[in-house]
Structures are given as structure tokens and as C-alpha cells.
Amino acid sequence: MSLSVTAATSADAPELAALAALTFPLACPPEVTAADSAEFIAAHLSEDAFAQYLADDSKRVLVARRGGNLIGYALLVFSPPSDPEVAEALRHLPGPAAELSKCYVHPAAHGTGAAAALMQAAVDAVVLSGCRTLWLGVNDLNLRAQSFYRKSGFVEAGRRSFTVGGQVFRDFILSLPLSPHGK
Ligand SMILES: CC(C)(COP(=O)(O)OP(=O)(O)OC[C@H]1O[C@@H](n2cnc3c(N)ncnc32)[C@H](O)[C@@H]1OP(=O)(O)O)[C@@H](O)C(=O)NCCC(=O)NCCS
């Protein structure tokens, strides 16, 4: 079955919320309780939240489908980071910078190339927008994601804090330099 990666539309919001609820816990360290995870999902990954991301000109949602089924999504944010730790980490990197705020693939599609296709589409969109750096935050303990990002060309650029359910976790900030002709 063929894989496609396209810009999401408002019609994708219900499926996006369902996939996000399934995949968000996979990125969390063990200290994040089910209740904390559920609270984060309700606040940031609901159907309404995705409808807002889709209506926001400074954001872009990409969806990966195989045989019509949603198997992955990415959220790009094109506004400057509000977190001072991130701003400091990006200060010496080529600007403007965009954030890969979310990159999630259904567990059944891990290791199938879907994530790489999603990443390529994200990089293409960011290059087209004129940004020169793509950055992201990834939890210390999320070794699979770190490995995927590093093989996609990301390198460590700094550290930041990330709060879930009142607990503060440390993330790596990873960055990918982009040229106007692609990464
Ligand atoms: C992150 C994600 C999108 C990557 O997609 P993927 O299909 O798993 O990525 P790939 O299989 O192409 O790459 C993962 C690599 O990590 C390796 N890996 C797997 N488990 C690992 C571990 N525990 N430690 C280190 N590397 C690991 C894999 O072997 C693979 O490397 P290889 O291709 O050289 O064999 C996907 O794993 C995902 O959705 N995870 C859950 C959500 C998440 O964590 N999102 C990121 C939030 S920042």
C-alpha cells in the first residue's frame, strides 16, 4: 500500500486527535502518570486543539497515510520560540528557525519508513518557507526518537525544560541546518 504525506485539513482533526492520544504516551518518560498524560492530551491534543492548529497560519500539520489510514502526523511551528532556553540555543544558528513541535507515528508503522517520509515532507515545507534551521525538543529517555532524529541529520543544540502534569523534564534541543536547496 502506498504511503502519502500531505498537508492536513480540518476534516483530519478527529483522526489526528485519536492518533495523538494513542502515541503521546509513547514519548513520555515513565514518571508521567496516566492521569498527567490524559490531562496533557485533553489540553493540547484534542480534536479542538487540532482544529486550532489547522486554523493557525503560523502552524502546519502534516499527515502520513497508508492505504487511507492515518499512521503519522507532524506539527510545524513557524513562530519564534518563546522559551528563553530555546532562544539561547538557537541564537548562533542560521535563522529564521522553525520548530518540529510534534512528530508521531503509529507504533504499527515504526521502522517502516513512514517517519522518514514525514520528516522529508516537514523539511521540504520548512525549506520552502525560507527557514534555515529546523529544531525540536526530545526527552532524555526517548532513545528511539533521538536515534531517528540523529539519523535524519539533527545534532544537539542545547537543553530545555518541558512540563507535563506539573513535573518538569529535561529535553535535548536538536537542530538541523537547512540550505535553500534542501537539507
Ligand atoms: C519517533 C518516531 C516518529 C520515529 O519513527 P520510527 O519509525 O520509529 O523511526 P525509525 O525506525 O526509522 O528509526 C528509529 C531508530 O531507532 C532505533 N532504535 C529503536 N529502539 C531504540 C532504542 N531503545 N535506543 C536507541 N535506538 C533505538 C531503531 O533501530 C532505528 O534505527 P535504525 O533505522 O538505524 O535501525 C516514532 O518512533 C514514534 O512515533 N515514536 C513515538 C512518539 C515519539 O516519541 N515521538 C517523538 C517525540 S519528540
Side-chain angles (χ1 to χ4, degrees):
M1 276 185 287
S2 71
L3 175 70
S4 69
V5 181
T6 57
T9 70
S10 54
D12 295 312
E15 274 180 291
L16 278 163
L19 182 62
L22 179 81
T23 53
F24 175 72
L26 304 175
C28 292
E31 297 90 330
V32 174
T33 64
D36 289 345
S37 175
E39 187 185 308
F40 187 95
I41 289 165
H44 303 287
L45 300 171
S46 64
E47 198 176 321
D48 278 356
F50 277 102
Q52 286 178 34
Y53 299 147
L54 287 161
D56 184 338
D57 284 344
S58 70
K59 298 185 170 67
R60 186 89 44 85
V61 184
L62 301 172
V63 284
R65 289 185 179 279
R66 186 170 272 140
N69 297 316
L70 186 69
I71 56 164
Y73 76 96
L75 171 65
L76 290 165
V77 177
F78 292 94
S79 40
S82 53
D83 180 340
E85 275 189 296
V86 177
E88 177 58 25
L90 299 182
R91 202 157 62 86
H92 302 292
L93 300 176
E99 177 186 6
L100 182 60
S101 167
K102 305 184 194 311
C103 180
Y104 288 81
V105 167
H106 190 288
H110 290 181
T112 66
L118 202 50
M119 179 62 76
Q120 188 58 57
V123 166
D124 290 347
V126 171
V127 168
L128 201 63
S129 76
C131 288
R132 300 289 308 281
T133 295
L134 180 60
W135 71 272
L136 58 87
V138 58
N139 183 260
D140 272 7
L141 299 180
N142 193 347
L143 300 181
R144 180 168 194 127
Q146 287 176 38
S147 171
F148 168 69
Y149 293 136
R150 290 183 200 281
K151 82 176 176 179
S152 304
F154 285 79
V155 294
E156 192 176 335
R159 308 277 282 170
R160 72 154 185 200
S161 297
F162 188 77
T163 304
V164 181
Q167 295 189 79
V168 180
F169 299 97
R170 292 301 279 172
D171 278 1
F172 287 110
I173 300 168
L174 304 182
S175 69
L176 177 71
L178 303 168
S179 84
H181 309 295
K183 67 173 174 170

